[in-house]
Amino acid sequence: MYKSKSNFGRNTRPSRPFNAHRSSRPSGGRRSGPQKQYIHPSKFVSVATPREEIQYTAQHQFADFDVHPLIKKNLSVKGYVTPSPIQDQSIPLGLAGKDIIGIANTGTGKTAAFAIPVLNKLMSDKVSKVLIIAPTRELAEQIEDEMRSIAKGSGLTGTLLIGGSSMQRQLRELKHMPRVIVGTPGRIKDHLMQGTLKLDQVNNLVLDEVDRMLDMGFMPDMQFILERMATERQSFFFSATFDAKVRDIITKFSNDPVTVSVKTGDTSENVHQNIVEYNGKEDKMTKLHEALLHENANKVIVFEDTKHQVEKLGKELVERGFKAESIHGGKSQSQRTRALRAFKENKINILVATDVAARGIDVPNITSVINFSTPQTYDDYTHRIGRAGRAGRVGHALTFIEKY
Ligand code: AMP
């Protein structure tokens, strides 16, 4: 366990909401912002054409890497024996001190791909520190959990700087000069502005889901943060896509990076896609009820537009006897964490969510995605439904369209 006065090694998190401080950016719903892109309903219909997964042969085993024995022991306790492709390719480069651009989705093992070289460096070099930035609170928590388990027993200290969670705890932890700082852009920037966080000695950087951070409008915050870091540093960038905007920011903040890509194409190819036509509100609800009773709907994410709609729909489904929960930006962090855990552990099988709240969450075995409201863009659509077609399995996606 990370030793700490700063709670990094604790298994539980503060369980009450803390509303005294608001993050500068809402993390659920899209009340304002651009109009929805028109997407022809035919684009929501497709028969899955699952591809044979090409078997990857790892070049290493975790036991082969030149890392601290404690890391090897912790990985073995976690049951990690063979590195995933992104880990197999990134870890040796990361250990050699290279800047890395990893093109990979959530679920590929990208967290350990950066966590192992970074933690190894922090264990051998007592002045090294790392800043890890993720677009959502959920992803930041997941990263912190993974880091904590890989560094267990090392004595490293850390802090999680996310909105909707105790500012007091964060301030207390920051006083102890944590060496692992994980957070979301809004809260990290708040601390920098208040002078409660200094980054000029932080010589390792991880930006996770760079494309999502840009989509969510975090570019100015990221610039603000990165400009305050040590200039001599090692950086890791992860992104599911690599367009011009992503490339620009990475080029600006990296030093001769090596690119590792493990993207295996569009996972929506593994998803049966269809539309559900409805006539008015009541019919829409009846059709959702039927869809949720379908044999394919074992583990379902239902997408709605705003936090208000998500909350209302979640309650309605519970009243109808479904095992459902909702996550959106209007809920406290502990409520969101609890809902997500219940979904992961199959205590509930339906999660109603906004796009933003659902981003980056790592839940395996999702069978179906239901777009109760149409997505903002086609890109959002692919992102939503890709969650149901993971690891070569065939998933199902239904998009609700109003009949005129
Ligand atoms: P990530 O993409 O980092 O969110 O990881 C996805 C899931 O895979 C997490 O639940 C990890 O605990 C798990 N995982 C990552 N790497 C390995 C590995 N080499 N062996 C087994 N499980 C892994």
Side-chain angles (χ1 to χ4, degrees):
M1 194 175 294
Y2 282 31
K3 180 177 78 189
S4 84
K5 300 160 193 135
S6 62
N7 290 347
F8 204 52
R10 263 183 20 181
N11 287 328
T12 52
R13 292 210 170 76
S15 59
R16 45 7 87 264
F18 184 82
N19 299 324
H21 180 87
R22 270 167 192 269
S23 163
S24 57
R25 209 171 296 275
S27 52
R30 285 194 184 191
R31 278 174 188 287
S32 55
Q35 283 280 307
K36 275 190 184 176
Q37 187 185 73
Y38 175 73
I39 306 167
H40 193 275
S42 62
K43 293 196 81 176
F44 300 132
V45 183
S46 169
V47 175
T49 48
R51 297 220 174 135
E52 288 270 314
E53 292 245 314
I54 301 160
Q55 280 298 318
Y56 174 84
T57 312
Q59 302 298 303
H60 312 89
Q61 296 288 291
F62 284 113
D64 305 337
F65 289 129
D66 185 16
V67 296
H68 200 288
L70 191 63
I71 293 182
K72 287 192 187 173
K73 181 180 144 235
N74 290 336
L75 290 173
S76 143
V77 170
K78 282 168 75 63
Y80 291 13
V81 179
T82 307
S84 69
I86 187 87
Q87 295 164 352
D88 195 43
Q89 295 170 56
S90 306
I91 293 171
L93 294 164
L95 290 170
K98 298 296 289 179
D99 277 13
I100 291 174
I101 303 172
I103 310 298
N105 290 315
T106 301
T108 52
K110 63 188 164 68
T111 317
F114 63 76
I116 293 169
V118 164
L119 290 169
N120 189 60
K121 187 163 165 191
L122 266 57
M123 286 183 200
S124 56
D125 169 15
K126 300 294 175 214
V127 294
S128 272
K129 292 181 180 172
V130 63
L131 173 71
I132 300 166
I133 314 178
T136 63
R137 300 165 182 180
E138 278 76 16
L139 184 57
E141 281 194 330
Q142 276 173 206
I143 293 172
E144 198 240 11
D145 277 348
E146 181 87 343
M147 304 275 293
R148 187 154 30 109
S149 63
I150 297 175
K152 204 168 166 185
S154 66
L156 284 172
T157 55
T159 189
L160 180 66
L161 306 180
I162 56 176
S165 120
S166 165
M167 197 64 166
Q168 237 95 355
R169 174 187 57 77
Q170 294 175 14
L171 292 174
R172 202 171 51 240
E173 291 176 357
L174 284 168
K175 282 206 183 99
H176 290 106
M177 314 296 258
R179 296 178 59 208
V180 180
I181 303 156
V182 186
T184 46
R187 184 55 71 95
I188 294 171
K189 187 180 172 202
D190 290 347
H191 280 290
L192 284 170
M193 287 171 68
Q194 286 175 28
T196 44
L197 172 67
K198 293 246 174 334
L199 294 176
D200 51 341
Q201 305 289 319
V202 178
N203 59 341
N204 296 279
L205 166 72
V206 179
L207 291 192
D208 203 2
E209 305 214 337
V210 180
D211 50 352
R212 289 281 141 194
M213 288 207 268
L214 295 181
D215 282 356
M216 290 167 79
F218 284 136
M219 177 83 164
D221 289 358
M222 282 197 316
Q223 299 251 134
F224 182 92
I225 297 166
L226 267 50
E227 279 159 6
R228 279 156 184 79
M229 289 190 68
T231 41
E232 280 289 310
R233 61 170 184 249
Q234 183 180 10
S235 308
F236 296 77
F237 304 89
F238 287 87
S239 189
T241 55
F242 195 65
D243 62 13
K245 273 192 291 174
V246 175
R247 196 182 49 233
D248 283 354
I249 184 142
I250 293 180
T251 311
K252 185 164 175 201
F253 290 103
S254 60
N255 174 24
D256 192 18
V258 184
T259 304
V260 175
S261 175
V262 297
K263 258 193 88 87
T264 50
D266 205 338
T267 46
S268 59
E269 286 167 3
N270 290 351
V271 182
H272 276 302
Q273 302 163 51
N274 212 342
I275 53 168
V276 176
E277 287 189 300
Y278 66 91
N279 221 326
K281 265 189 189 165
E282 217 168 290
D283 185 41
K284 190 178 185 188
M285 202 58 223
T286 307
K287 294 215 162 118
L288 175 64
H289 193 121
E290 284 165 7
L292 291 172
L293 293 177
H294 194 277
E295 58 179 3
N296 290 328
N298 282 329
K299 200 162 185 178
V300 190
I301 297 198
V302 182
F303 284 100
E304 257 287 27
D305 275 337
T306 65
K307 44 190 166 187
H308 176 69
Q309 290 167 325
V310 165
E311 180 69 25
K312 204 167 145 216
L313 183 59
K315 285 192 175 139
E316 169 80 33
L317 293 178
V318 171
E319 273 168 28
R320 285 169 179 256
F322 289 105
K323 288 195 277 175
E325 275 276 8
S326 60
I327 54 167
H328 54 75
K331 289 206 158 179
S332 72
Q333 193 52 39
S334 56
Q335 286 173 318
R336 285 163 63 162
T337 307
R338 256 201 314 272
L340 206 56
R341 190 169 301 142
F343 190 52
K344 274 189 186 171
E345 293 171 357
N346 297 319
K347 294 193 176 115
I348 56 163
N349 72 323
I350 301 165
L351 189 70
V352 189
T354 55
D355 283 279
V356 178
R359 259 169 202 171
I361 58 174
D362 164 38
V363 179
N365 308 326
I366 292 171
T367 54
S368 326
V369 168
I370 295 183
N371 298 306
F372 200 54
S373 67
T374 53
Q376 206 82 12
T377 63
Y378 192 69
D379 195 40
D380 282 346
Y381 175 72
T382 329
H383 225 267
R384 283 183 181 184
I385 70 167
R387 289 157 187 285
R390 292 253 181 95
R393 272 188 293 268
V394 170
H396 297 265
L398 288 178
T399 303
F400 278 65
I401 305 277
E402 178 135 41
K403 247 194 235 172
Y404 287 104

